[in-house]
Amino acid sequence: QVQLVESGGGLVQPGRSLTLSCTASGIIGRVLLMGWYRRAPGKERELVADVGDHGSPSYADSVKGRFTISRDNVKDTVYLQMNTLKPEDTAVYYCNAQVLRGRLDVYWGQGTQVTVDS
């Protein structure tokens, strides 16, 4: 059974940093993409950042220059380093993994709350 377990969320003041991590277990196949999405109150879920298994990251415009995604392929773990956090970054952050094993399967973590507030 595939599981994505996230950690690192919490309450932080504006301008500070936070790092999220997500470790996948039970995966059989090639993990093409690992990434982070978020859903803010009253808004649709949006892609924050993702990274391929060869390390080619992409970012939402709203986080470029502030967030950095990285990945450890051996550990099937993805990290999101979030710097210079803003109140509008407040959301539930979800880990995502896209796995290729004959077909493409998509898996989600349970979500971790990030609140940016003074």
mmCIF file of all heavy atoms in Angstrom, residues 69-108:
data_model
loop_
_atom_site.group_PDB
_atom_site.id
_atom_site.type_symbol
_atom_site.label_atom_id
_atom_site.label_comp_id
_atom_site.label_asym_id
_atom_site.label_seq_id
_atom_site.Cartn_x
_atom_site.Cartn_y
_atom_site.Cartn_z
ATOM 1 N N ILE A 69 12.316 23.377 -4.122
ATOM 2 C CA ILE A 69 11.942 21.973 -4.009
ATOM 3 C C ILE A 69 13.171 21.116 -4.302
ATOM 4 O O ILE A 69 13.982 21.447 -5.173
ATOM 5 C CB ILE A 69 10.775 21.615 -4.946
ATOM 6 C CG1 ILE A 69 10.233 20.227 -4.640
ATOM 7 C CG2 ILE A 69 11.175 21.743 -6.418
ATOM 8 C CD1 ILE A 69 8.906 19.911 -5.345
ATOM 9 N N SER A 70 13.308 20.043 -3.550
ATOM 10 C CA SER A 70 14.410 19.111 -3.789
ATOM 11 C C SER A 70 13.913 17.699 -3.519
ATOM 12 O O SER A 70 12.886 17.506 -2.874
ATOM 13 C CB SER A 70 15.614 19.448 -2.903
ATOM 14 O OG SER A 70 15.270 19.372 -1.542
ATOM 15 N N ARG A 71 14.692 16.768 -3.999
ATOM 16 C CA ARG A 71 14.204 15.391 -3.961
ATOM 17 C C ARG A 71 15.368 14.442 -3.711
ATOM 18 O O ARG A 71 16.447 14.617 -4.248
ATOM 19 C CB ARG A 71 13.533 15.090 -5.297
ATOM 20 C CG ARG A 71 13.058 13.700 -5.502
ATOM 21 C CD ARG A 71 12.301 13.607 -6.806
ATOM 22 N NE ARG A 71 12.072 12.227 -7.153
ATOM 23 C CZ ARG A 71 11.350 11.825 -8.179
ATOM 24 N NH1 ARG A 71 10.771 12.719 -8.965
ATOM 25 N NH2 ARG A 71 11.199 10.551 -8.441
ATOM 26 N N ASP A 72 15.120 13.430 -2.889
ATOM 27 C CA ASP A 72 16.086 12.361 -2.646
ATOM 28 C C ASP A 72 15.485 11.094 -3.242
ATOM 29 O O ASP A 72 14.554 10.508 -2.672
ATOM 30 C CB ASP A 72 16.322 12.208 -1.136
ATOM 31 C CG ASP A 72 17.384 11.178 -0.804
ATOM 32 O OD1 ASP A 72 17.544 10.207 -1.585
ATOM 33 O OD2 ASP A 72 18.041 11.322 0.229
ATOM 34 N N ASN A 73 15.985 10.688 -4.386
ATOM 35 C CA ASN A 73 15.402 9.533 -5.083
ATOM 36 C C ASN A 73 15.635 8.225 -4.339
ATOM 37 O O ASN A 73 14.836 7.288 -4.461
ATOM 38 C CB ASN A 73 15.988 9.424 -6.480
ATOM 39 C CG ASN A 73 15.486 10.529 -7.404
ATOM 40 O OD1 ASN A 73 14.416 11.087 -7.191
ATOM 41 N ND2 ASN A 73 16.277 10.848 -8.405
ATOM 42 N N VAL A 74 16.706 8.152 -3.578
ATOM 43 C CA VAL A 74 16.987 6.922 -2.828
ATOM 44 C C VAL A 74 15.946 6.744 -1.722
ATOM 45 O O VAL A 74 15.461 5.639 -1.480
ATOM 46 C CB VAL A 74 18.403 6.951 -2.247
ATOM 47 C CG1 VAL A 74 18.642 5.740 -1.349
ATOM 48 C CG2 VAL A 74 19.433 7.001 -3.368
ATOM 49 N N LYS A 75 15.622 7.840 -1.072
ATOM 50 C CA LYS A 75 14.675 7.781 0.045
ATOM 51 C C LYS A 75 13.235 8.018 -0.392
ATOM 52 O O LYS A 75 12.322 7.988 0.453
ATOM 53 C CB LYS A 75 15.055 8.830 1.094
ATOM 54 C CG LYS A 75 16.412 8.604 1.741
ATOM 55 C CD LYS A 75 16.708 9.691 2.758
ATOM 56 C CE LYS A 75 18.050 9.478 3.412
ATOM 57 N NZ LYS A 75 18.374 10.546 4.400
ATOM 58 N N ASP A 76 13.015 8.302 -1.689
ATOM 59 C CA ASP A 76 11.661 8.652 -2.161
ATOM 60 C C ASP A 76 11.075 9.767 -1.291
ATOM 61 O O ASP A 76 9.925 9.686 -0.838
ATOM 62 C CB ASP A 76 10.738 7.437 -2.173
ATOM 63 C CG ASP A 76 10.933 6.568 -3.415
ATOM 64 O OD1 ASP A 76 11.433 7.092 -4.423
ATOM 65 O OD2 ASP A 76 10.599 5.373 -3.353
ATOM 66 N N THR A 77 11.873 10.773 -1.074
ATOM 67 C CA THR A 77 11.472 11.901 -0.233
ATOM 68 C C THR A 77 11.609 13.200 -1.012
ATOM 69 O O THR A 77 12.572 13.380 -1.760
ATOM 70 C CB THR A 77 12.337 11.956 1.038
ATOM 71 O OG1 THR A 77 12.130 10.757 1.795
ATOM 72 C CG2 THR A 77 11.975 13.160 1.898
ATOM 73 N N VAL A 78 10.624 14.064 -0.815
ATOM 74 C CA VAL A 78 10.666 15.375 -1.444
ATOM 75 C C VAL A 78 10.563 16.438 -0.355
ATOM 76 O O VAL A 78 9.858 16.252 0.643
ATOM 77 C CB VAL A 78 9.532 15.544 -2.487
ATOM 78 C CG1 VAL A 78 8.158 15.448 -1.854
ATOM 79 C CG2 VAL A 78 9.696 16.829 -3.281
ATOM 80 N N TYR A 79 11.314 17.517 -0.530
ATOM 81 C CA TYR A 79 11.360 18.604 0.442
ATOM 82 C C TYR A 79 10.895 19.897 -0.213
ATOM 83 O O TYR A 79 11.064 20.093 -1.412
ATOM 84 C CB TYR A 79 12.787 18.798 0.949
ATOM 85 C CG TYR A 79 13.420 17.552 1.515
ATOM 86 C CD1 TYR A 79 14.197 16.728 0.706
ATOM 87 C CD2 TYR A 79 13.232 17.190 2.847
ATOM 88 C CE1 TYR A 79 14.782 15.575 1.204
ATOM 89 C CE2 TYR A 79 13.822 16.037 3.351
ATOM 90 C CZ TYR A 79 14.587 15.235 2.524
ATOM 91 O OH TYR A 79 15.161 14.090 3.024
ATOM 92 N N LEU A 80 10.336 20.759 0.603
ATOM 93 C CA LEU A 80 9.977 22.096 0.142
ATOM 94 C C LEU A 80 10.503 23.094 1.154
ATOM 95 O O LEU A 80 9.966 23.199 2.257
ATOM 96 C CB LEU A 80 8.468 22.248 -0.034
ATOM 97 C CG LEU A 80 8.017 23.558 -0.656
ATOM 98 C CD1 LEU A 80 8.456 23.627 -2.126
ATOM 99 C CD2 LEU A 80 6.499 23.737 -0.563
ATOM 100 N N GLN A 81 11.561 23.781 0.778
ATOM 101 C CA GLN A 81 12.114 24.828 1.624
ATOM 102 C C GLN A 81 11.386 26.123 1.287
ATOM 103 O O GLN A 81 11.428 26.591 0.146
ATOM 104 C CB GLN A 81 13.622 24.984 1.365
ATOM 105 C CG GLN A 81 14.261 26.171 2.066
ATOM 106 C CD GLN A 81 14.317 26.006 3.567
ATOM 107 O OE1 GLN A 81 14.590 24.917 4.070
ATOM 108 N NE2 GLN A 81 14.034 27.081 4.300
ATOM 109 N N MET A 82 10.714 26.681 2.275
ATOM 110 C CA MET A 82 9.916 27.887 2.059
ATOM 111 C C MET A 82 10.534 29.044 2.834
ATOM 112 O O MET A 82 10.591 29.003 4.059
ATOM 113 C CB MET A 82 8.472 27.648 2.525
ATOM 114 C CG MET A 82 7.818 26.439 1.866
ATOM 115 S SD MET A 82 6.090 26.220 2.330
ATOM 116 C CE MET A 82 6.272 25.751 4.055
ATOM 117 N N ASN A 83 11.007 30.031 2.105
ATOM 118 C CA ASN A 83 11.613 31.208 2.714
ATOM 119 C C ASN A 83 10.730 32.436 2.493
ATOM 120 O O ASN A 83 9.873 32.447 1.604
ATOM 121 C CB ASN A 83 12.993 31.462 2.106
ATOM 122 C CG ASN A 83 13.960 30.334 2.375
ATOM 123 O OD1 ASN A 83 13.906 29.667 3.413
ATOM 124 N ND2 ASN A 83 14.868 30.101 1.436
ATOM 125 N N THR A 84 10.985 33.444 3.292
ATOM 126 C CA THR A 84 10.259 34.712 3.172
ATOM 127 C C THR A 84 8.756 34.473 3.053
ATOM 128 O O THR A 84 8.078 34.941 2.127
ATOM 129 C CB THR A 84 10.758 35.523 1.960
ATOM 130 O OG1 THR A 84 12.178 35.436 1.860
ATOM 131 C CG2 THR A 84 10.381 36.999 2.100
ATOM 132 N N LEU A 85 8.234 33.724 3.987
ATOM 133 C CA LEU A 85 6.825 33.351 3.931
ATOM 134 C C LEU A 85 5.925 34.573 4.097
ATOM 135 O O LEU A 85 6.249 35.531 4.819
ATOM 136 C CB LEU A 85 6.520 32.309 4.997
ATOM 137 C CG LEU A 85 6.961 30.885 4.624
ATOM 138 C CD1 LEU A 85 7.081 30.004 5.854
ATOM 139 C CD2 LEU A 85 5.998 30.294 3.624
ATOM 140 N N LYS A 86 4.787 34.515 3.421
ATOM 141 C CA LYS A 86 3.800 35.593 3.434
ATOM 142 C C LYS A 86 2.473 35.050 3.950
ATOM 143 O O LYS A 86 2.206 33.841 3.827
ATOM 144 C CB LYS A 86 3.601 36.141 2.021
ATOM 145 C CG LYS A 86 4.867 36.617 1.342
ATOM 146 C CD LYS A 86 4.573 37.032 -0.093
ATOM 147 C CE LYS A 86 5.837 37.500 -0.805
ATOM 148 N NZ LYS A 86 5.551 37.908 -2.208
ATOM 149 N N PRO A 87 1.620 35.913 4.474
ATOM 150 C CA PRO A 87 0.304 35.431 4.930
ATOM 151 C C PRO A 87 -0.467 34.709 3.834
ATOM 152 O O PRO A 87 -1.200 33.744 4.126
ATOM 153 C CB PRO A 87 -0.398 36.729 5.354
ATOM 154 C CG PRO A 87 0.717 37.613 5.787
ATOM 155 C CD PRO A 87 1.848 37.314 4.833
ATOM 156 N N GLU A 88 -0.280 35.118 2.587
ATOM 157 C CA GLU A 88 -1.001 34.450 1.498
ATOM 158 C C GLU A 88 -0.464 33.052 1.183
ATOM 159 O O GLU A 88 -1.041 32.345 0.360
ATOM 160 C CB GLU A 88 -0.976 35.310 0.225
ATOM 161 C CG GLU A 88 0.397 35.793 -0.183
ATOM 162 C CD GLU A 88 0.683 37.212 0.309
ATOM 163 O OE1 GLU A 88 0.350 37.527 1.476
ATOM 164 O OE2 GLU A 88 1.256 37.989 -0.489
ATOM 165 N N ASP A 89 0.608 32.653 1.837
ATOM 166 C CA ASP A 89 1.081 31.272 1.714
ATOM 167 C C ASP A 89 0.333 30.331 2.661
ATOM 168 O O ASP A 89 0.531 29.111 2.597
ATOM 169 C CB ASP A 89 2.581 31.188 2.023
ATOM 170 C CG ASP A 89 3.435 31.917 1.007
ATOM 171 O OD1 ASP A 89 3.162 31.792 -0.203
ATOM 172 O OD2 ASP A 89 4.382 32.618 1.422
ATOM 173 N N THR A 90 -0.501 30.886 3.510
ATOM 174 C CA THR A 90 -1.285 30.063 4.423
ATOM 175 C C THR A 90 -2.190 29.122 3.649
ATOM 176 O O THR A 90 -2.972 29.556 2.795
ATOM 177 C CB THR A 90 -2.127 30.957 5.354
ATOM 178 O OG1 THR A 90 -1.250 31.717 6.189
ATOM 179 C CG2 THR A 90 -3.055 30.116 6.219
ATOM 180 N N ALA A 91 -2.072 27.834 3.933
ATOM 181 C CA ALA A 91 -2.834 26.824 3.200
ATOM 182 C C ALA A 91 -2.539 25.454 3.798
ATOM 183 O O ALA A 91 -1.618 25.306 4.609
ATOM 184 C CB ALA A 91 -2.452 26.828 1.723
ATOM 185 N N VAL A 92 -3.316 24.484 3.351
ATOM 186 C CA VAL A 92 -2.955 23.092 3.591
ATOM 187 C C VAL A 92 -2.103 22.643 2.406
ATOM 188 O O VAL A 92 -2.512 22.806 1.244
ATOM 189 C CB VAL A 92 -4.199 22.194 3.728
ATOM 190 C CG1 VAL A 92 -3.784 20.743 3.927
ATOM 191 C CG2 VAL A 92 -5.070 22.671 4.885
ATOM 192 N N TYR A 93 -0.936 22.123 2.708
ATOM 193 C CA TYR A 93 -0.001 21.692 1.680
ATOM 194 C C TYR A 93 -0.064 20.168 1.538
ATOM 195 O O TYR A 93 0.023 19.438 2.531
ATOM 196 C CB TYR A 93 1.415 22.137 2.046
ATOM 197 C CG TYR A 93 1.634 23.604 1.806
ATOM 198 C CD1 TYR A 93 1.022 24.559 2.616
ATOM 199 C CD2 TYR A 93 2.434 24.053 0.755
ATOM 200 C CE1 TYR A 93 1.205 25.914 2.388
ATOM 201 C CE2 TYR A 93 2.627 25.407 0.526
ATOM 202 C CZ TYR A 93 2.006 26.330 1.343
ATOM 203 O OH TYR A 93 2.190 27.675 1.113
ATOM 204 N N TYR A 94 -0.190 19.733 0.296
ATOM 205 C CA TYR A 94 -0.341 18.306 -0.004
ATOM 206 C C TYR A 94 0.842 17.824 -0.842
ATOM 207 O O TYR A 94 1.202 18.451 -1.847
ATOM 208 C CB TYR A 94 -1.621 18.049 -0.779
ATOM 209 C CG TYR A 94 -2.877 18.379 -0.023
ATOM 210 C CD1 TYR A 94 -3.459 19.647 -0.109
ATOM 211 C CD2 TYR A 94 -3.514 17.423 0.773
ATOM 212 C CE1 TYR A 94 -4.614 19.955 0.577
ATOM 213 C CE2 TYR A 94 -4.676 17.728 1.458
ATOM 214 C CZ TYR A 94 -5.219 18.984 1.357
ATOM 215 O OH TYR A 94 -6.369 19.288 2.047
ATOM 216 N N CYS A 95 1.378 16.694 -0.440
ATOM 217 C CA CYS A 95 2.423 16.039 -1.211
ATOM 218 C C CYS A 95 1.775 15.198 -2.316
ATOM 219 O O CYS A 95 0.692 14.626 -2.122
ATOM 220 C CB CYS A 95 3.241 15.144 -0.273
ATOM 221 S SG CYS A 95 4.546 14.209 -1.069
ATOM 222 N N ASN A 96 2.444 15.124 -3.439
ATOM 223 C CA ASN A 96 1.925 14.408 -4.595
ATOM 224 C C ASN A 96 3.032 13.582 -5.225
ATOM 225 O O ASN A 96 4.169 14.039 -5.321
ATOM 226 C CB ASN A 96 1.375 15.427 -5.603
ATOM 227 C CG ASN A 96 1.031 14.829 -6.949
ATOM 228 O OD1 ASN A 96 1.889 14.670 -7.809
ATOM 229 N ND2 ASN A 96 -0.237 14.508 -7.131
ATOM 230 N N ALA A 97 2.701 12.363 -5.637
ATOM 231 C CA ALA A 97 3.672 11.525 -6.352
ATOM 232 C C ALA A 97 2.974 10.888 -7.545
ATOM 233 O O ALA A 97 1.855 10.385 -7.424
ATOM 234 C CB ALA A 97 4.242 10.447 -5.440
ATOM 235 N N GLN A 98 3.631 10.946 -8.681
ATOM 236 C CA GLN A 98 3.110 10.324 -9.901
ATOM 237 C C GLN A 98 4.043 9.180 -10.270
ATOM 238 O O GLN A 98 5.220 9.396 -10.527
ATOM 239 C CB GLN A 98 3.009 11.357 -11.010
ATOM 240 C CG GLN A 98 2.053 12.496 -10.655
ATOM 241 C CD GLN A 98 1.888 13.508 -11.759
ATOM 242 O OE1 GLN A 98 2.033 13.192 -12.941
ATOM 243 N NE2 GLN A 98 1.577 14.734 -11.380
ATOM 244 N N VAL A 99 3.477 7.971 -10.276
ATOM 245 C CA VAL A 99 4.275 6.749 -10.402
ATOM 246 C C VAL A 99 3.913 6.014 -11.686
ATOM 247 O O VAL A 99 2.723 5.781 -11.967
ATOM 248 C CB VAL A 99 4.043 5.826 -9.187
ATOM 249 C CG1 VAL A 99 4.891 4.569 -9.306
ATOM 250 C CG2 VAL A 99 4.354 6.571 -7.890
ATOM 251 N N LEU A 100 4.937 5.657 -12.426
ATOM 252 C CA LEU A 100 4.732 4.938 -13.670
ATOM 253 C C LEU A 100 5.066 3.460 -13.469
ATOM 254 O O LEU A 100 6.196 3.101 -13.130
ATOM 255 C CB LEU A 100 5.616 5.527 -14.773
ATOM 256 C CG LEU A 100 5.459 4.897 -16.162
ATOM 257 C CD1 LEU A 100 4.040 5.146 -16.682
ATOM 258 C CD2 LEU A 100 6.483 5.454 -17.128
ATOM 259 N N ARG A 101 4.063 2.639 -13.652
ATOM 260 C CA ARG A 101 4.262 1.185 -13.610
ATOM 261 C C ARG A 101 3.263 0.578 -14.591
ATOM 262 O O ARG A 101 2.182 0.113 -14.211
ATOM 263 C CB ARG A 101 4.029 0.662 -12.192
ATOM 264 C CG ARG A 101 4.423 -0.807 -12.039
ATOM 265 C CD ARG A 101 3.941 -1.383 -10.746
ATOM 266 N NE ARG A 101 4.273 -2.788 -10.617
ATOM 267 C CZ ARG A 101 3.665 -3.619 -9.785
ATOM 268 N NH1 ARG A 101 2.716 -3.184 -9.000
ATOM 269 N NH2 ARG A 101 4.029 -4.883 -9.710
ATOM 270 N N GLY A 102 3.606 0.677 -15.861
ATOM 271 C CA GLY A 102 2.653 0.275 -16.886
ATOM 272 C C GLY A 102 1.652 1.381 -17.159
ATOM 273 O O GLY A 102 1.408 1.774 -18.289
ATOM 274 N N ARG A 103 1.071 1.915 -16.109
ATOM 275 C CA ARG A 103 0.159 3.058 -16.210
ATOM 276 C C ARG A 103 0.645 4.120 -15.217
ATOM 277 O O ARG A 103 1.517 3.858 -14.392
ATOM 278 C CB ARG A 103 -1.258 2.621 -15.837
ATOM 279 C CG ARG A 103 -1.389 2.231 -14.384
ATOM 280 C CD ARG A 103 -2.780 1.759 -14.027
ATOM 281 N NE ARG A 103 -2.907 1.573 -12.584
ATOM 282 C CZ ARG A 103 -3.958 1.008 -12.018
ATOM 283 N NH1 ARG A 103 -4.967 0.573 -12.751
ATOM 284 N NH2 ARG A 103 -4.012 0.877 -10.698
ATOM 285 N N LEU A 104 0.058 5.286 -15.299
ATOM 286 C CA LEU A 104 0.447 6.368 -14.387
ATOM 287 C C LEU A 104 -0.549 6.450 -13.234
ATOM 288 O O LEU A 104 -1.744 6.650 -13.455
ATOM 289 C CB LEU A 104 0.476 7.698 -15.137
ATOM 290 C CG LEU A 104 1.037 8.881 -14.353
ATOM 291 C CD1 LEU A 104 2.509 8.677 -14.046
ATOM 292 C CD2 LEU A 104 0.824 10.182 -15.121
ATOM 293 N N ASP A 105 -0.044 6.253 -12.029
ATOM 294 C CA ASP A 105 -0.865 6.377 -10.833
ATOM 295 C C ASP A 105 -0.464 7.625 -10.068
ATOM 296 O O ASP A 105 0.718 7.962 -10.000
ATOM 297 C CB ASP A 105 -0.706 5.150 -9.928
ATOM 298 C CG ASP A 105 -1.346 3.911 -10.533
ATOM 299 O OD1 ASP A 105 -2.436 4.034 -11.120
ATOM 300 O OD2 ASP A 105 -0.749 2.822 -10.421
ATOM 301 N N VAL A 106 -1.451 8.272 -9.468
ATOM 302 C CA VAL A 106 -1.212 9.497 -8.712
ATOM 303 C C VAL A 106 -1.585 9.265 -7.257
ATOM 304 O O VAL A 106 -2.669 8.746 -6.963
ATOM 305 C CB VAL A 106 -2.038 10.662 -9.286
ATOM 306 C CG1 VAL A 106 -1.754 11.943 -8.500
ATOM 307 C CG2 VAL A 106 -1.714 10.866 -10.760
ATOM 308 N N TYR A 107 -0.685 9.660 -6.376
ATOM 309 C CA TYR A 107 -0.902 9.474 -4.948
ATOM 310 C C TYR A 107 -0.796 10.813 -4.222
ATOM 311 O O TYR A 107 -0.039 11.697 -4.646
ATOM 312 C CB TYR A 107 0.128 8.497 -4.369
ATOM 313 C CG TYR A 107 0.077 7.138 -5.006
ATOM 314 C CD1 TYR A 107 0.950 6.793 -6.035
ATOM 315 C CD2 TYR A 107 -0.859 6.191 -4.593
ATOM 316 C CE1 TYR A 107 0.900 5.554 -6.631
ATOM 317 C CE2 TYR A 107 -0.909 4.936 -5.182
ATOM 318 C CZ TYR A 107 -0.031 4.630 -6.205
ATOM 319 O OH TYR A 107 -0.088 3.388 -6.796
ATOM 320 N N TRP A 108 -1.539 10.922 -3.112
ATOM 321 C CA TRP A 108 -1.579 12.151 -2.335
ATOM 322 C C TRP A 108 -1.300 11.875 -0.863
ATOM 323 O O TRP A 108 -1.695 10.823 -0.337
ATOM 324 C CB TRP A 108 -2.951 12.808 -2.449
ATOM 325 C CG TRP A 108 -3.268 13.297 -3.821
ATOM 326 C CD1 TRP A 108 -3.940 12.637 -4.796
ATOM 327 C CD2 TRP A 108 -2.917 14.573 -4.363
ATOM 328 N NE1 TRP A 108 -4.022 13.416 -5.916
ATOM 329 C CE2 TRP A 108 -3.414 14.606 -5.697
ATOM 330 C CE3 TRP A 108 -2.240 15.690 -3.880
ATOM 331 C CZ2 TRP A 108 -3.250 15.718 -6.530
ATOM 332 C CZ3 TRP A 108 -2.074 16.784 -4.699
ATOM 333 C CH2 TRP A 108 -2.575 16.791 -6.006
#
